[in-house]
Amino acid sequence: MSLFSICIATRNRSAYLARHIRHISSFETLDYELIVSDNNSEDDTPMVVAELARANPRIHYVRQQTPLNSLQSISASCALAVGRYMMFIADDDYVIESGLLRAAEIMEKHQSVAAIYGDWHPIQPGEAVGEALEAGSNTSNREDRVFSRHEMVELYSGNWQMELPIFRRDIYSKSHLPYHFHMPFDFYGMARFLGYGQVMMMRDCIALVEQHADQNSKNIYHDELIYSYLSDYELFCCEMRNEISAEVHDLIASKLVRQYMWAGEKAAMDGKFLLGKHFMQKALGYQKEETNRRAARYSYKYLTDMIAEAIVQFTQITPTNSTLVFEAHPILAIIMEKVRLQIAGTADEYEFFALSLEDFIKRPLQEDDVYIALEEETRQRREVVQGVPTRKFRSLEQFMHACRV
């Protein structure tokens, strides 16, 4: 198993991607794998990556069969990671080896640290990486610091923007769904990580970020971006609701809560259970008693449907697959049938197997198999038997953590 999974999502920017891959391929110390999720590019991205992969076997390339939106594309790049630690970074940036090494050193030494947010510096077009690092270090005032939940609320109130976390893969699997309806690694992501350990700011630079004409980021007034930031705020409040005063929200809470709960329940009626969960979580951030009751009812009514949808999502963003292998268990049998029904409404066709734990562990690894076990520890037991990690593996334990409202 690699120490680090570096995850990149890309679409139609083969030149920037190739530059970044060559930069990563020059690393001399870091034990890493590089996951490249190609969001159905129409340029020469597949050929470019194939050529670079011949020289660097650490590259794992997957091509999405249909274009995803930007948030889903980020999710897809992270779905196949098997490293102990992982991070997402854009195709046109530069990840910095020394920063990743120090983050790994900290998390190896301090098991309570769930995620680390390192510093980043700008780099100008044509500027050398070493020069940009030196210039950035001369102007940065970032210091190492571990944040408590209460301090995180104060940090959020100060309007900091949090980007580029390095985090533990096992915690990511519990705290994030296969698809995101929000910015996955800003303050909401930080609050999710805080639920499983400490969050740390690190002085070391982990990335250089270039501003250029080909960037596809949207203006701050764009509807999608405004919605993303609002979602980040609301979902952060959901995660931190014991630390944030309800009075802050009273002016807008009642109308928004009613709208979000209605949207969530309507989404579930239309078979979009995880989208419904998303709106229920947004409503919970406003701390209304009615919301607590309806969200609890939603979770009780739709939990197995949400898990089934999450399994379908995982299967779809880890192509190509033809077989879903479940560990034989009464709860998983119910979920398997719901997965079968949800897939029946798509163009995809799969075989389904329910195997005893012993047969599940011993089943030879196939590239087009997806494995769903009862407990996460089965992954390690399979790795001992198979000799390699099972990339397309998730457990009911992980999905239950990720799907709870």
Side-chain angles (χ1 to χ4, degrees), residues 314-335:
F314 181 72
T315 302
Q316 290 173 336
I317 64 174
T318 57
T320 53
N321 300 305
S322 63
T323 306
L324 278 79
V325 183
F326 286 76
E327 178 183 342
H329 187 274
I331 295 178
L332 285 175
I334 294 171
I335 293 171

Side-chain angles (χ1 to χ4, degrees), residues 216-364:
N216 57 7
S217 58
K218 298 178 175 64
N219 293 320
I220 190 65
Y221 52 78
H222 191 281
D223 287 346
E224 182 180 333
L225 194 58
I226 292 173
Y227 175 80
S228 294
Y229 277 106
L230 180 58
S231 293
D232 182 60
Y233 170 64
E234 291 164 334
L235 294 172
F236 175 80
C237 292
C238 169
E239 294 297 320
M240 308 289 285
R241 53 190 179 270
N242 292 331
E243 284 81 11
I244 296 179
S245 171
E247 285 79 4
V248 175
H249 311 293
D250 279 346
L251 293 177
I252 61 172
S254 296
K255 182 177 181 179
L256 281 175
V257 163
R258 287 195 300 270
Q259 181 69 26
Y260 288 145
M261 287 191 297
W262 181 88
E265 290 163 355
K266 180 65 169 61
M269 286 190 290
D270 291 340
K272 299 177 181 179
F273 305 104
L274 293 175
L275 181 60
K277 168 188 177 291
H278 168 72
F279 283 114
M280 284 294 175
Q281 285 185 300
K282 285 159 69 73
L284 277 171
Y286 293 90
Q287 306 178 48
K288 300 296 182 181
E289 186 60 31
E290 179 187 5
T291 311
N292 293 334
R293 291 194 300 269
R294 288 172 68 175
R297 186 166 63 244
Y298 185 96
S299 188
Y300 178 79
K301 185 175 182 179
Y302 296 118
L303 180 59
T304 55
D305 297 288
M306 289 188 284
I307 292 172
E309 187 179 354
I311 291 172
V312 173
Q313 289 181 353
F314 181 72
T315 302
Q316 290 173 336
I317 64 174
T318 57
T320 53
N321 300 305
S322 63
T323 306
L324 278 79
V325 183
F326 286 76
E327 178 183 342
H329 187 274
I331 295 178
L332 285 175
I334 294 171
I335 293 171
M336 184 174 74
E337 288 306 308
K338 293 192 173 187
V339 170
R340 195 193 303 270
L341 288 172
Q342 291 187 21
I343 288 178
T346 72
D348 298 322
E349 293 184 3
Y350 297 94
E351 288 186 278
F352 290 79
F353 292 96
L355 304 180
S356 67
L357 178 58
E358 181 180 359
D359 290 341
F360 184 96
I361 292 171
K362 291 181 178 179
R363 180 181 172 89

Side-chain angles (χ1 to χ4, degrees), residues 10-60:
T10 190
R11 177 171 167 80
N12 295 336
R13 298 204 296 192
S14 62
Y16 288 110
L17 176 65
R19 183 186 69 178
H20 199 173
I21 291 177
R22 291 190 186 100
H23 167 73
I24 293 171
S25 297
S26 70
F27 290 176
E28 298 179 349
T29 305
L30 185 70
D31 178 16
Y32 70 91
E33 64 168 359
L34 175 57
I35 309 292
V36 177
S37 177
D38 178 0
N39 193 14
N40 200 248
S41 292
E42 298 167 341
D43 62 2
D44 61 345
T45 292
M47 290 74 78
V48 167
V49 177
E51 178 66 26
L52 293 167
R54 279 192 280 271
N56 185 353
R58 296 172 184 262
I59 296 171
H60 182 79

Side-chain angles (χ1 to χ4, degrees), residues 327 332 357 360 372-381 393-398:
E327 178 183 342
L332 285 175
L357 178 58
F360 184 96
I372 308 297
L374 186 67
E375 298 176 341
E376 171 61 13
E377 68 178 27
T378 305
R379 179 198 290 268
Q380 284 73 41
R381 296 179 65 183
F393 179 101
R394 285 292 187 271
S395 68
L396 176 62
E397 176 187 5
Q398 291 173 331

